[in-house]
Amino acid sequence: MALAFLDRDRSIAPAGYSRWLVPPAALAIHLSIGQVYSFSVFKNPLLALHAADGSAWNLKEVGYIFSIAIAVLGLSAALFGAWLEKAGPRRAMFYAAICFGAGFVIASLGASTHQLALIYLGYGVIGGVGLGLGYISPVSTLIKWFPDRPGLATGLAIMGFGGGAMIGGPLASNLMAHFKAAGQPSIPYTMVTMGVLYFIFMMFGVFTIRVPPTGWKPEGWVPSVNHSALISSHNVAVTEAWKTPQFWLLWVMLFVNVTAGIGILEQAAPMIQDLFKGQISPAAAVGFVGILSIFNMAGRFLWASVSDFIGRKGTYFTFFTLGAILYFFLPFSRQDKIDSIPLFVAIAALVISMYGGGFATIPAYLKDLFGGFNVSAIHGRLLTAWSAAGIIGPLIVNGILDHYVANHMSKQEAYPLILHIMCGLLIVGFVANLMVRPVAEKYWLKDQNVAVAAGPAH
C-alpha cells in the first residue's frame, strides 16, 4: 500500500539511533498546531467583515471558533488516544497534518462567503481533529525515549505547542497586510497560504519520527528504587484509569488551569488594547501575543523539567498558589490604576508560563500515577478537560465583555471581574491537587507481561 510507510513497524529506530533526533519531529508538529494560540490576531479582522446585506459577526460568535477548535482537540484526543497506541505516532501525525491544513482551506471559504458555519467546520471541527491527533502523537513516544527524565520529555514534546503563536501571530498579521495591500481578500488568502505551509512543515515530523525498539532503555540507566509514593511501579490500563479518583482530580486541575489561562490567551490582543487605550497599537498587540507565546513555550519546558526535581504535586502547588496571587493583582496594572504596561506584560507572561507548564507537566503526572503502559490513551481522555475549558473560558470572557458593551459600560471594568473569577478557579485547583493520593492496588494491571509486550512501561 502507498501509505505502508506510516505503519508503526516502519518507524522503529535502528540500533545506535540518537534519541535527541526525536524532539525536532515533535516540535515540527507542535509549532504548527500551536498556531491556535494566536487566533486572537484574526478576531478584529473577522469582526470587521460584512456580508452582502451589511450584517457582521459579534465577539461571541467569533469567539466560538476558538472554543470549537479546543473542544474538538480534547474530544478527538480522547477518542483516538487508544488507537494511537496501536497505530503509532507517524500515522497519527500524517492524519493531523491533513486535517489541520484542510481546516484552514475550508475556513477560508467561510471567510470569503461570510458563512460562519464553514469557519466553524473548517478551523473548528476538522482543524480541531488535527490539533487533537497532533497534540498527543509525540507525547508517549518521547516519554519512552526519556524514561530517566519524563518531565523533560513531556516538556520537549509540548513546548512547541506553546510557541506556535510566536510564528502564527506574525505570519498571519504579515500575510493579511500583504494581501490587503495587493487588493486581494486578506483573510481567505492568508488562511489558504497558512494551511499549505503548515501541512508541509508537519510532514517533516511525519517522516522523521521514530519509536524505540521494545525493551529499549538509555545506556547505563537504572530505574531508581527510592522515589515518591506518588510514583507507581505498576501500570493502570486506560479502561481502569478513568474510574479512579486520581484521574478526575487531575481532570479538575487541568480544567481550572486551562480555563484561567484561556482567560488571557483567547483575548490577548484586544485585552491589552482595551486596558491601555491609545497606548497600544494593533502591531504592538500582536507583539504582546508573541511575548505570551515565548513564555508559554518556555514555561512548558522549564516547569516540566523543574517537576523532575520538586515533583509534579509540588509543581502544581506552585501554579495554583502563585497563579492565584498574580491573577488577583493583574487588573490593577491597567491604565486607570497603576498604568504600567511593563508590569501588566510581566505578570501576564509569568501566568502564561505556568499555564503552559501545566500542560507539559500533566503527562508526567499521569505517568507517575498510572505507569507508562497506556499514557497516551489516558492523556487523551484527560484532555477532555481542555475541551470543557476551551468552551467555558471564552464563554466567561466574551459573555462578560458583551454584557458590559451592551449596557454601555467600560470594557476596562469588565476585566477585573474576569480575572478574579480565574483567581477563584485556581483555588479550586489547589484543593484538588491537595487530595491526590497513590492509585489503589485494585486498579493496577495484573498481568505486567502485557505491558512489556506492548512496549517499555517506563
Side-chain angles (χ1 to χ4, degrees), residues 35-40 43 61-72 120 123-124 131 262 265-267 355 386 389-391 393-394 398:
Q35 180 279 333
V36 71
Y37 278 140
S38 65
F39 178 75
S40 64
K43 290 185 79 171
E61 289 173 327
V62 172
Y64 284 144
I65 302 169
F66 178 85
S67 294
I68 292 171
I70 296 300
V72 174
Y120 289 159
Y123 192 91
L131 290 172
I262 283 177
L265 282 175
E266 193 267 344
Q267 186 69 10
Y355 165 83
W386 195 358
I391 295 171
N398 295 321

Side-chain angles (χ1 to χ4, degrees), residues 38-120:
S38 65
F39 178 75
S40 64
V41 174
F42 280 115
K43 290 185 79 171
N44 285 338
L46 285 170
L47 290 170
L49 289 179
H50 289 81
D53 62 0
S55 62
W57 299 318
N58 63 36
L59 187 63
K60 189 178 292 184
E61 289 173 327
V62 172
Y64 284 144
I65 302 169
F66 178 85
S67 294
I68 292 171
I70 296 300
V72 174
L73 184 162
L75 292 173
S76 59
L79 184 62
F80 297 114
W83 165 81
L84 188 154
E85 296 276 8
K86 300 175 183 176
R90 179 175 288 175
R91 185 173 295 275
M93 288 178 174
F94 179 71
Y95 294 153
I98 291 175
C99 290
F100 193 64
F104 272 102
V105 175
I106 295 170
S108 74
L109 295 175
S112 64
T113 59
H114 209 263
Q115 295 185 62
L116 199 55
L118 273 179
I119 303 181
Y120 289 159

Side-chain angles (χ1 to χ4, degrees), residues 8-41:
R8 185 186 185 92
D9 292 345
R10 298 288 187 93
S11 60
I12 296 176
Y17 185 83
S18 172
R19 61 179 176 170
W20 293 102
L21 296 175
V22 181
L27 283 172
I29 301 296
H30 277 232
L31 281 171
S32 298
I33 62 175
Q35 180 279 333
V36 71
Y37 278 140
S38 65
F39 178 75
S40 64
V41 174

Side-chain angles (χ1 to χ4, degrees), residues 245-257 362 381-389:
Q246 288 83 357
F247 177 89
W248 293 106
L249 288 170
L250 264 62
W251 193 98
V252 169
M253 289 159 53
L254 185 62
F255 170 77
V256 298
N257 197 47
I362 207 74
R381 291 195 180 187
L382 193 79
L383 289 181
T384 54
W386 195 358
S387 298

